[in-house]
Amino acid sequence: MKEHYSVIDIGSCVCRVVVGRFLSDGKLDILGIGSSPSQGLKAGTIVNIESVAQCIAESIQEAELMSGINIKEITANISGLAVDSHNSNGVVAVSNKESTVSHSDIMRVMEAAQNIQLQNDHNIIHVLSRDFSLDNHQGIRDPIGMTGIRLEAQVHIVSARNTALSNIEKALAMSGIRLESYIMSSLACADALLCTEEKDLGMIVVDIGGGVTDIIFYVDGGVCYSTVIPIGGMHITQDISMGLKIPIESAEFVKKNYGSSKASLVDPTERIELPNTNQRSSRFVLRQQITEIIEARVREILEMVDEELLRSKYKSTFNGNLILSGGTALLDGIDDLAEEVLGINVSSRYIQNITGFAENVQTPEFATAIGSLHYINRMGGQKTDSQRAQPKRLLKRITNWLVENV
Ligand SMILES: Nc1ncnc2c1ncn2[C@@H]1O[C@H](COP(=O)(O)OP(=O)(O)OP(=O)(O)O)[C@@H](O)[C@H]1O
Ligand SMILES: [Mg+2]
């Protein structure tokens, strides 16, 4: 097992690198952090590799300086429209004479479950086990050693476009960094924010970043739905910029400093001075005018989230909580608005159980990077189940995943 791990979250707004190690008491010790404003991404996908490579180089250098560690390989997140996911199932006959389920039966049934039609140019990056059935008895977490004839596996399969994967690999290679594995962003984020018991009870994590909103839905300890919506906080900033006719930088400042998702909670007489509008005289607007613009867009994002939750078909029976994450979760009043739109208990939370440079990463913007470290650790320091490997090695990784999760 390695002493420390390095992860990179190439977000639409900020590229973040975190170096960390796990202590014997289970705490995550943050050794180094690097971040750089992102350029060259659109809706979470690389559109200009040179610009992205520059941001990667800057954030890696910063994390190296802080940690004193020379980063040679790294685990990267992947999100955006290049990612797709499906539920699938596989069925096999239990192979040995005594009808006792063995490791090899699990491997065969997981392989059978992968027999799905992927989108053109897509590669599987995760095969997440959700549930096993043995002779139609459902809800079995670990069937190894049990007796039965017909073994069925329910899985959640995540795939990503090969070109998007190789662009991340190339951008990292430009800094001399080897890509170790990929993790779907929402899966990583959930690992920073949820414990196993919560996944068992059922939880939803919605990460509203700058360019995309990542959604992951857990039922009975497994992922039943995951998706990405190509909209986020940058769209709110653009709306403010257009609505008030001010530059993007000023709109971003106004959003962060005077923003709220609930226009009705703001004093209707409060006026604020707009920054850097390049006009001779200062310009004042009603704060409520700003919050109305923000509320309209946040409501739209949340309605899109609701459409996805309904599409999952698990919402009607769901009685767990939803956690908001990502930079946009810092908007004042967003939890209340989300509860109103989604009809689900909503909360934001700080990442717990970390030490070292902890205060620098205890924000919702760092949840995905921190969660990647947890995910790698949960896999026993093994590479994740992301593929680009020989099928045999892949199966071994799936088995590792099962060992961690059943
Ligand atoms: N205090 C704040 N109030 C409102 N919005 C904020 C605040 N802080 C950050 N944001 C917004 O959060 C967004 C960035 O979030 P985050 O860093 O999670 O995105 P990212 O990971 O770079 O992008 P993505 O995940 O979409 O690819 C920006 O739109 C930014 O304006
Ligand atoms: Mg993000």
Side-chain angles (χ1 to χ4, degrees):
M1 206 157 147
K2 288 207 301 191
E3 263 193 12
H4 58 262
Y5 304 103
S6 305
V7 294
I8 186 163
D9 173 17
I10 310 169
S12 308
C13 287
V14 179
C15 178
R16 301 182 173 91
V17 171
V18 181
V19 184
R21 62 176 174 175
F22 285 86
L23 305 176
S24 51
D25 61 1
K27 277 201 172 131
L28 170 58
D29 184 23
I30 305 295
L31 302 171
I33 305 153
S35 63
S36 161
S38 280
Q39 270 173 2
L41 282 117
K42 197 167 179 201
T45 307
I46 296 179
V47 289
N48 183 331
I49 200 161
E50 303 264 327
S51 307
V52 173
Q54 181 65 34
C55 311
I56 290 175
E58 284 168 18
S59 40
I60 290 209
Q61 199 180 18
E62 201 179 310
E64 283 183 334
L65 269 174
M66 194 170 184
S67 63
I69 290 167
N70 184 9
I71 300 173
K72 293 201 177 69
E73 48 188 20
I74 208 157
T75 292
N77 298 118
I78 176 140
S79 177
L81 295 179
V83 179
D84 194 15
S85 59
H86 300 275
N87 287 340
S88 171
N89 67 326
V91 183
V92 294
V94 177
S95 57
N96 75 9
K97 281 189 201 124
E98 292 81 34
S99 299
T100 306
V101 178
S102 67
H103 218 69
S104 77
D105 294 316
I106 301 288
M107 307 248 279
R108 284 193 303 118
V109 78
M110 293 298 279
E111 200 176 0
Q114 288 176 60
N115 194 11
I116 60 162
Q117 187 73 42
L118 291 178
Q119 272 190 56
N120 222 357
D121 188 34
H122 266 236
N123 207 344
I124 293 175
I125 58 166
H126 296 289
V127 183
L128 309 173
S129 68
R130 299 175 53 212
D131 191 25
F132 291 97
S133 318
L134 200 51
D135 298 340
N136 293 328
H137 292 293
Q138 295 171 349
I140 301 171
R141 287 280 170 90
D142 182 5
I144 292 179
M146 291 177 70
T147 306
I149 294 165
R150 182 182 186 276
L151 177 67
E152 184 171 349
Q154 307 279 345
V155 298
H156 187 73
I157 294 182
V158 181
S159 67
R161 216 173 42 233
N162 280 327
T163 45
L165 295 172
S166 73
N167 282 338
I168 296 176
E169 202 166 352
K170 276 186 197 158
L172 286 165
M174 286 177 173
S175 292
I177 309 287
R178 198 179 71 78
L179 178 78
E180 210 166 14
S181 55
Y182 302 102
I183 304 177
M184 176 172 65
S185 295
S186 57
L187 193 62
C189 187
D191 260 18
L193 300 171
L194 307 181
C195 61
T196 311
E197 291 73 30
E198 287 177 314
K199 290 178 185 172
D200 287 346
L201 289 170
M203 283 297 249
I204 300 167
V205 176
V206 177
D207 179 304
I208 314 178
V212 296
T213 295
D214 296 280
I215 303 172
I216 191 158
F217 198 150
Y218 285 85
V219 168
D220 294 333
V223 178
C224 65
Y225 195 72
S226 64
T227 193
V228 184
I229 306 172
I231 191 165
M234 283 157 94
H235 298 85
I236 304 173
T237 307
Q238 280 161 11
D239 290 349
I240 298 171
S241 164
M242 281 174 68
L244 301 181
K245 297 189 176 51
I246 55 174
I248 285 285
E249 297 72 33
S250 310
E252 182 74 7
F253 178 88
V254 165
K255 178 178 81 170
K256 287 183 176 167
N257 289 279
Y258 307 109
S260 171
S261 307
K262 280 276 205 179
S264 59
L265 298 181
V266 169
D267 174 358
T269 61
E270 186 182 348
R271 283 153 55 87
I272 60 134
E273 187 179 356
L274 296 178
N276 306 323
T277 49
N278 294 331
Q279 288 176 6
R280 271 188 219 128
S281 57
S282 25
R283 217 182 117 198
F284 286 84
V285 291
L286 284 174
R287 188 174 167 213
Q288 208 170 50
Q289 194 184 339
I290 299 163
T291 53
E292 274 166 5
I293 297 172
I294 296 174
E295 180 172 337
R297 182 62 93 164
V298 176
R299 211 173 256 284
E300 187 199 1
I301 296 174
L302 293 168
E303 280 165 1
M304 289 167 89
V305 170
D306 197 41
E307 272 171 34
E308 290 301 331
L309 299 183
L310 290 169
R311 203 191 311 273
S312 78
K313 305 221 167 37
Y314 289 89
K315 191 190 171 193
S316 57
T317 51
F318 179 73
N319 51 19
N321 287 354
L322 182 146
I323 292 182
L324 286 178
S325 187
T328 303
L330 290 167
L331 256 179
D332 189 44
I334 194 166
D335 291 359
D336 290 346
L337 186 62
E339 276 194 5
E340 182 193 315
V341 174
L342 303 170
I344 294 174
N345 288 334
V346 175
S347 59
S348 307
R349 62 170 62 164
Y350 284 102
I351 304 162
Q352 304 279 328
N353 232 9
I354 46 180
T355 176
F357 295 103
E359 69 279 9
N360 304 49
V361 296
Q362 273 174 319
T363 73
E365 294 135 301
F366 267 95
T368 302
I370 297 299
S372 296
L373 291 166
H374 281 284
Y375 189 87
I376 300 169
N377 187 49
R378 197 157 57 82
M379 304 286 287
Q382 310 274 349
K383 291 192 176 91
T384 71
D385 47 350
S386 58
Q387 308 190 353
R388 323 205 78 213
Q390 300 301 315
K392 278 209 170 128
R393 281 187 61 200
L394 168 67
L395 279 175
K396 184 163 184 305
R397 290 179 194 180
I398 291 169
T399 317
N400 291 334
W401 164 250
L402 284 167
V403 170
E404 291 293 319
N405 287 276
V406 290

